[in-house]
Amino acid sequence: MGNRFLSAIRKRSFLTALLGGLLVLGALSGCDMSGHQSTIVTEGPVARHQLHLFYLTLGVSIFIFLTVGSVLAYAQIKFRSRKDQEGADDPPPQTHGHPLVEMGLIVISGLLLVIIAIPTVRGIWYTSDTPDRENALEIKVTGYQWWFKFEYPQLGFATANELVIPSDRPIHIELRTLDVIHSFWVPKLAGKVDLIPNRANHMWLQADHEGYYWGQCAEFCGESHANMKFRLVSLEPAEFQAWAERQAGDARSVSDQPVAATWEDLNPKIEFAAMTEDAPPGALSSLEGWRQAQVPTAAEDTALINRGRALFRDKTCLMCHEIKGHGAPGITGPTLTHFGSRTTLAAGLLDNTDENLAHWLRDPDSVKPGNIMYRDGYVINNIQLTEDDIQALVAYLHSLK
């Protein structure tokens, strides 16, 4: 009776495993692996190297799975209980194993481990050592709850939540955090590296061509961890240089008259490469949308913008946020010097539109629960904003190109 019961369990386990495998294959067949944060579609040497290592490990794992599964299936079929055989309920002869088989399994397992280990060690060295270090662009990334600060020490400015780099050039990134552990991750360009308190860490990445990429904090860091996103924009070297020169300057004032309708018109000497992305036309979170965001609005309400600038001062926003050239020295929050030229707000969570910015100013805690702007700003300083105040602040912040 006991042997029949065990035989039934083996048959059911085999059928369950087979059905589960078919269901997994069916689910994977419908997966789209080309999304914004795909690790399969790589556009940089670091991510490509890591993908090749993944494929190698996956291949070895599939080989082990198929080998073990085949032996298991063979054993279950060959030694299954048959009603027409004498002594069908008796277990098959038991042995302690074959020494040659056991040694062979140990040797094969060791070889498979070596096949994975050698490329893995080489990959660690490759992803840790920035090539052409002297000519690489250095960027310091600092993680906060819940946003990223990006400093360009060689160029003399800082920005937040949107990292802009030149394409086809190594980028050496120093990673720091001022609170808890965070993780810096741009899936299409490089794997995850942690930002750890009281520990210096670094990585490097490089983009093959211009593009617009999604990034994410990949280490749980508190209530709004899932809302800690950022963008990375890769530009041709000449276009990057034009952007960097503007970022190093003061924030734009409304007295500055718009001089062009498009980013290309602002930089007539740059030969722009053909677009390589497939984002919908006019999408803000795209390379074309980013370029258009750099351009001042053609029709601006100067009085409304000036009122927003006064409100920014009167509501003590300048205590946390820096706006160079506008008398706002704040250092605890993201710099807003060129906020209007960004495509996202709330650390990459929302597109930087008038409606989204108004929603953020109206109730930041509903957008990103637990954020310091609400907790240490709105609550402690009892900040109250009317709808007219919000519209004025939106106009002012979006004028900062």
Side-chain angles (χ1 to χ4, degrees):
M1 181 67 181
N3 290 329
R4 291 180 180 178
F5 178 71
L6 291 175
S7 177
I9 290 179
R10 292 192 191 100
K11 291 178 180 179
R12 182 171 296 179
S13 299
F14 175 74
L15 292 174
T16 302
L18 179 61
L19 179 60
L22 292 175
L23 289 175
V24 170
L25 290 175
L28 291 177
S29 66
C31 290
D32 179 12
M33 298 188 179
S34 61
H36 295 313
Q37 292 184 274
S38 170
T39 56
I40 304 300
V41 180
T42 59
E43 299 185 24
V46 176
R48 194 155 44 247
H49 189 92
Q50 293 169 333
L51 180 63
H52 292 162
L53 179 59
F54 166 74
Y55 281 148
L56 173 64
T57 306
L58 179 63
V60 172
S61 301
I62 291 175
F63 171 77
I64 295 173
F65 174 79
L66 292 177
T67 302
V68 174
S70 299
V71 173
L72 176 62
Y74 170 79
Q76 286 188 323
I77 294 172
K78 180 175 177 59
F79 298 107
R80 72 185 186 277
S81 176
R82 293 181 174 87
K83 297 297 183 182
D84 57 347
Q85 289 183 342
E86 183 179 353
D89 293 337
D90 297 331
Q94 304 297 303
T95 66
H96 292 290
H98 195 292
L100 183 61
V101 173
E102 292 184 356
M103 290 301 299
L105 290 174
I106 293 174
V107 172
I108 292 173
S109 298
L111 289 176
L112 292 176
L113 180 61
V114 170
I115 290 173
I116 296 177
I118 293 177
T120 298
V121 173
R122 291 180 58 191
I124 292 173
W125 289 337
Y126 177 79
T127 56
S128 298
D129 297 333
T130 306
D132 196 12
R133 183 70 175 83
E134 293 183 356
N135 296 319
L137 175 65
E138 181 175 330
I139 296 174
K140 180 181 177 182
V141 175
T142 305
Y144 297 84
Q145 291 178 304
W146 290 275
W147 61 281
F148 286 102
K149 179 180 181 180
F150 303 125
E151 298 177 79
Y152 296 73
Q154 298 163 321
L155 303 176
F157 65 86
T159 184
N161 299 317
E162 289 195 3
L163 177 61
V164 182
I165 65 171
S167 63
D168 203 24
R169 178 182 176 185
I171 310 298
H172 179 82
I173 300 178
E174 292 289 336
L175 300 168
R176 305 291 187 271
T177 177
L178 293 186
D179 39 55
V180 299
I181 298 177
H182 300 284
S183 187
F184 183 87
W185 187 34
V186 189
K188 291 188 177 182
L189 298 182
K192 310 167 187 175
V193 180
D194 285 348
L195 293 69
I196 304 173
N198 302 316
R199 175 180 172 181
N201 215 346
H202 71 274
M203 63 179 291
W204 75 278
L205 55 78
Q206 180 175 320
D208 292 334
H209 49 72
E210 60 178 12
Y212 187 95
Y213 304 96
W214 272 249
Q216 173 80 46
C217 173
E219 179 73 29
F220 180 74
C221 53
E223 187 175 4
S224 277
H225 156 69
N227 299 326
M228 188 173 174
K229 307 174 185 292
F230 66 95
R231 299 290 190 272
L232 187 147
V233 180
S234 172
L235 305 174
E236 294 295 329
E239 187 177 4
F240 171 79
Q241 186 61 34
W243 172 84
E245 290 173 358
R246 286 178 168 81
Q247 291 292 310
D250 291 342
R252 173 179 174 270
S253 297
V254 290
S255 58
D256 300 333
Q257 296 300 316
V259 296
T262 67
W263 176 242
E264 289 83 350
D265 293 338
L266 278 174
N267 302 279
K269 296 183 179 180
I270 298 176
E271 183 177 348
F272 289 91
M275 298 294 292
T276 58
E277 60 183 352
D278 56 359
L284 189 58
S285 292
S286 65
L287 182 57
E288 187 58 37
W290 179 89
R291 283 171 171 164
Q292 194 56 38
Q294 312 307 304
V295 183
T297 304
E300 293 182 316
D301 188 333
T302 303
L304 186 63
I305 292 174
N306 286 331
R307 181 168 179 266
R309 180 171 179 174
L311 282 167
F312 191 87
R313 178 192 66 239
D314 297 341
K315 297 295 183 179
T316 69
C317 305
L318 51 74
M319 299 296 291
C320 295
H321 296 287
E322 174 199 41
I323 300 180
K324 290 195 298 184
H326 285 210
I331 59 173
T332 60
T335 178
L336 302 180
T337 300
H338 299 283
F339 173 80
S341 65
R342 299 174 193 163
T343 56
T344 64
L345 59 92
L349 188 59
L350 302 172
D351 282 347
N352 192 9
T353 63
D354 289 351
E355 295 77 15
N356 286 339
L357 180 55
H359 178 42
W360 170 254
L361 293 173
R362 190 177 296 115
D363 188 4
D365 198 55
S366 68
V367 178
K368 182 176 289 188
N371 72 86
I372 295 177
M373 175 174 165
Y374 178 78
R375 186 189 69 200
D376 294 349
Y378 279 50
V379 175
I380 292 179
N381 295 324
N382 192 29
I383 295 177
Q384 303 290 331
L385 296 174
T386 67
E387 286 301 312
D388 288 341
D389 292 341
I390 291 173
Q391 295 307 315
L393 285 169
V394 168
Y396 170 58
L397 293 173
H398 278 166
S399 74
L400 302 174
K401 300 292 186 176

